């Protein structure tokens, strides 16, 4: 069992007290997100979760549009300031998600499909393509992650439990 806040990646509020997530809240998150008592968001620092840092460069409007659609589909995407985005995604789909943000370059067929699904607003198709972290809440204070699923099958196997701090809640399950 994991213990303490060192097992979580924190996403603080903006100086104005707003969430930095691009869309609050999609129906089903593909990666577990915890809301702490002070409203800070926390994502388990789990092997099934990849963190991508995206700097948009000259394609900022396209990057932000893609980020918003991915967030609607259930990927936590955060505004890191100065145009940068932080994306938390299931390990099986990380390469595809990263590739989709590479505008002006040749990308894989899966990354191109992801862009097309985002443009069409096909959130189920996005989730099917990039997968989801397999997680559940046990009781009120224990989060269990069991790897990641891709198209309904386990594609990345890991197991961890996380004790949630007092007053914390799972944002979506």
């Amino acid at each position: 069992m994991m213990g303490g806040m060192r097992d979580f990646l924190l996403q603080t509020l903006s100086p104005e007290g707003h969430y930095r997530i691009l869309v609050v809240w999609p129906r089903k998150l593909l990666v577990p997100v915890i809301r702490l008592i002070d409203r800070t968001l926390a994502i388990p620092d789990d092997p099934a979760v990849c963190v991508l840092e995206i700097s948009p460069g000259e394609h900022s409007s396209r990057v932000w549009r893609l980020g918003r659609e991915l967030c609607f589909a259930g990927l936590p995407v955060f505004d890191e300031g100065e145009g940068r985005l932080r994306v938390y995604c299931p390990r099986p789909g990380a390469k595809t998600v990263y590739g989709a943000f590479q505008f002006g370059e040749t990308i894989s067929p899966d990354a191109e499909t992801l862009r097309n699904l985002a443009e069409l607003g096909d959130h189920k198709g996005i989730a099917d393509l990039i997968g989801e972290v397999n997680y559940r809440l046990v009781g009120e204070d224990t989060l269990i992650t069991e790897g990641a699923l891709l198209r309904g099958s386990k594609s990345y196997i890991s197991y961890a439990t996380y004790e949630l701090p007092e007053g914390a809640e799972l944002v979506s399950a």
Side-chain angles (χ1 to χ4, degrees):
M1 179 173 305
M2 304 288 199
M5 288 309 300
R6 71 179 181 277
D7 298 322
F8 292 90
L9 304 167
L10 300 179
Q11 284 297 145
T12 59
L13 300 173
S14 71
E16 298 80 28
H18 302 295
Y19 289 112
R20 295 176 189 257
I21 194 166
L22 297 189
V23 177
V24 180
W25 301 107
R27 283 183 293 265
K28 167 75 172 146
L29 289 165
L30 304 175
V31 171
V33 175
I34 310 302
R35 183 178 16 239
L36 303 176
I37 201 163
D38 69 355
R39 296 182 49 225
T40 298
L41 299 178
I43 294 87
D45 190 5
D46 191 89
V49 177
C50 285
V51 183
L52 305 176
E53 301 280 344
I54 308 296
S55 295
E58 63 190 58
H59 301 283
S60 61
S61 64
R62 295 168 77 187
V63 165
W64 274 77
R65 214 170 21 252
L66 177 60
R68 274 192 301 277
E69 282 305 318
L70 293 178
C71 201
F72 273 122
L75 276 185
V77 179
F78 293 89
D79 173 5
E80 289 297 297
E82 299 179 15
R84 295 174 294 123
L85 298 178
R86 178 174 290 162
V87 182
Y88 294 91
C89 65
R91 183 167 296 283
K95 187 174 181 180
T96 299
V97 171
Y98 182 77
F101 279 104
Q102 304 310 304
F103 291 97
E105 296 182 24
T106 303
I107 60 173
S108 72
D110 279 349
E112 185 66 35
T113 299
L114 181 59
R115 282 186 190 169
N116 293 337
L117 292 169
E119 194 171 304
L120 295 171
D122 183 351
H123 302 145
K124 183 180 177 338
I126 291 170
D128 288 345
L129 181 62
I130 62 174
E132 64 183 296
V133 174
N134 189 17
Y135 65 93
R136 69 183 188 282
L137 193 60
V138 177
E140 292 183 9
D141 63 351
T142 303
L143 176 70
I144 295 177
T145 61
E146 297 178 298
L149 304 172
L150 186 60
R151 296 175 187 94
S153 300
K154 284 211 173 190
S155 68
Y156 181 80
I157 298 172
S158 67
Y159 182 86
T161 59
Y162 301 91
E163 287 297 320
L164 302 185
E166 189 174 327
E169 63 181 346
L170 189 60
V171 172
S172 175

